[in-house]
Amino acid sequence: MTVFDDLIGQQATVGQLRRAVAGASDLVAGGRGAGMTHAWLFTGPPGSGRSEAARAFAAALQCPDGGCGHCHSCHQVLAGTHPDLLYVRPSGLSFGVAATRDLVLRAGSRPSGGRFRIVLFEDAERATEAASNALLKAVEEPSPRTVWLLCTPAPDDLLVTIRSRCRLVTLATPGTRELVDALVRRDGVDPVLAQASAVAAAGRIDRARQLATDPEARRRREEVLSIPARLDGLGACVTSAARLYEIAEEESKALTTALDEKEKDELRTAFGEGSTGKGVAKAMRGSAGAMKDLEERQKRRATRIKRDSYDRALLDLAAFYRDVLALQLGASVELSTGERSGDLDRVARSSTPETTLRRIDAIMECRGRIEANVHPQIAMEAMTSALLVDGRA
């Protein structure tokens, strides 16, 4: 088993990365390194596995056997603990210039033991304009053994000057059968549940795994999909918007609480809480500043997770109306919300394709308003009111 085996439905991408790894080995041996370059841009729709592909590529670049998947180097990279891997995932809504300059400085040093110094930058589109300009200089004038791996949903999310200096890796949306096979094989999910989760996820690997392994995630999704059937008046619109907001808040709280407590416990342990001996009391007094910094990072991460939770709920709602449109147009496509067949048929019969498109536009507009810092519940109230047309949802 190699590091590329878990990239679901990405055969073309795997072939491209294997050729680059072969070129990297040639480069290390003193050759020209055909197929290898110092900057890569991994793009693909949400859930396609951009970060997983970049991490597998990083492991293969460090591995003397091209990504065997079982050596010490592969294990370290995949776990994010390799000394020559700088793993960056912005904890907040943006990544500032100060943090970028520090990253560029660290990236420029020589590898301490690996073959390359690799920077894996998830959500690179979160870099501010000033941060992007600082990143551009590093990508333009890289150190000989530094490799940048940038991950964004689409190439246009980065400055044109940055993406023009990167080799593009485009990931495809995996099919339902590929997702089912992965859930059953890797996660031991029951085939029936795996099939339902894969269809509901509409090609998003992370979402399929969440739905297959978390009953609460499935419950929240069902409640979101029940909203169109409840929109029978303006009062119901306000109530449904409030409930949609609460569902997303519940999900984000569930995700952040476990992470926050684990990190705080690890920090307390690192400073000697529960230990005895000389210097422990002084160390614990010194932990206050570190704990404050951690809490600030956790607050920024919580904001980002909340935004992601709102977006996930809105995308589930958009999927419902996309399926309505498919029924209205007689399209022979897989319905990701097919378990709500009664509601889908009712809405499809009582409205026109033009109305359905306007409703989808209203959901997309709500996403944009939340991204622009409109209070989510207010944005959702405007959206549910737009979903109500002529007293029918």
Side-chain angles (χ1 to χ4, degrees):
M1 181 175 179
T2 72
V3 294
F4 295 117
D5 289 347
D6 284 338
L7 299 184
I8 303 168
Q10 308 296 342
Q11 290 80 2
T13 293
V14 169
Q16 178 186 8
L17 297 180
R18 287 190 186 279
R19 290 189 293 272
V21 170
S25 297
D26 179 55
L27 185 65
V28 171
R32 297 181 61 185
M36 181 59 189
T37 188
H38 67 278
W40 297 77
L41 177 57
F42 289 76
T43 69
S48 60
R50 298 185 303 269
S51 301
E52 290 80 358
R55 195 181 292 249
F57 184 43
L61 290 176
Q62 298 292 25
C63 175
D65 294 323
C68 65
H70 53 74
C71 70
H72 185 59
S73 178
C74 283
H75 287 166
Q76 280 189 313
V77 173
L78 295 177
T81 59
H82 194 287
D84 288 319
L85 173 68
L86 301 178
Y87 178 62
V88 182
R89 187 167 191 259
S91 59
L93 297 176
S94 62
F95 193 78
V97 65
T100 302
R101 287 172 178 161
D102 178 66
L103 176 64
V104 169
L105 183 64
R106 290 187 291 143
S109 60
R110 293 177 59 85
S112 61
R115 304 200 300 174
F116 296 96
R117 187 78 161 164
I118 299 176
V119 183
L120 201 171
F121 194 162
E122 284 191 22
D123 301 328
E125 74 279 4
R126 296 183 188 271
T128 63
E129 183 177 355
S132 295
N133 289 329
L135 184 61
L136 171 61
K137 186 169 180 61
V139 173
E140 281 182 326
E141 303 172 3
S143 299
R145 287 290 186 88
T146 298
V147 179
W148 290 84
L149 309 180
L150 310 178
C151 304
T152 68
D156 291 346
D157 292 331
L158 290 184
L159 292 176
V160 64
T161 45
I162 292 180
R163 64 176 186 264
S164 67
R165 288 162 175 78
C166 297
R167 185 77 54 80
L168 184 63
V169 179
T170 304
L171 282 85
T173 301
T176 298
R177 180 172 296 180
E178 292 166 322
L179 288 181
V180 172
D181 290 343
L183 290 173
V184 173
R185 174 173 51 87
R186 296 197 315 187
D187 302 292
V189 177
D190 175 79
V192 175
L193 177 57
Q195 175 70 27
S197 300
V199 170
R204 291 175 288 168
I205 300 170
D206 53 350
R207 182 61 167 162
R209 183 170 291 113
Q210 182 190 36
L211 292 172
T213 58
D214 184 358
E216 281 299 302
R218 295 196 294 272
R219 180 193 63 77
R220 286 191 293 265
R221 177 177 176 274
E222 281 300 308
E223 193 166 357
V224 170
L225 295 181
S226 72
I227 285 177
R230 301 202 302 264
L231 299 180
D232 56 4
L234 290 178
C237 290
V238 174
T239 302
S240 296
R243 185 55 193 147
L244 186 61
Y245 174 73
E246 290 170 1
I247 292 169
E249 289 284 307
E250 288 172 7
E251 180 179 24
S252 63
K253 185 177 181 180
L255 292 172
T256 57
T257 299
L259 287 172
D260 290 354
E261 288 306 313
K262 180 182 177 182
E263 290 174 346
K264 288 179 180 178
D265 287 343
E266 289 174 348
L267 183 61
R268 294 188 189 102
T269 300
F271 275 92
E273 184 174 293
S275 303
T276 59
K278 186 177 180 180
V280 171
K282 183 178 180 181
M284 287 304 300
R285 287 195 298 272
S287 69
M291 184 63 73
K292 183 177 180 181
D293 289 342
L294 174 62
E295 289 173 348
E296 286 297 320
R297 291 197 302 273
Q298 289 177 341
K299 286 180 181 178
R300 291 194 296 272
R301 181 178 64 197
T303 300
R304 180 179 59 79
I305 289 177
K306 280 186 179 182
R307 288 280 183 90
D308 291 344
S309 296
Y310 302 143
D311 205 53
R312 198 153 29 242
L314 292 171
L315 287 175
D316 283 338
L317 195 58
F320 176 91
Y321 287 107
R322 180 194 60 206
D323 288 351
V324 168
L325 185 63
L327 290 177
Q328 290 172 327
L329 297 178
S332 299
V333 296
E334 188 174 62
L335 303 181
S336 63
T337 64
E339 72 272 25
R340 309 289 303 188
S341 59
D343 291 342
L344 290 172
D345 290 338
R346 181 186 65 80
V347 176
R349 289 195 306 268
S350 64
S351 61
T352 65
E354 291 77 13
T355 298
T356 303
L357 286 172
R358 286 197 295 270
R359 286 166 169 163
I360 294 174
D361 286 342
I363 296 171
M364 296 301 108
E365 186 174 0
C366 180
R367 295 177 68 203
R369 286 172 174 169
I370 292 175
E371 188 66 27
N373 291 322
V374 174
H375 191 282
Q377 188 169 345
I378 294 175
M380 289 173 183
E381 287 177 359
M383 176 196 70
T384 52
S385 297
L387 296 179
L388 182 69
V389 179
D390 296 329
R392 302 287 296 276

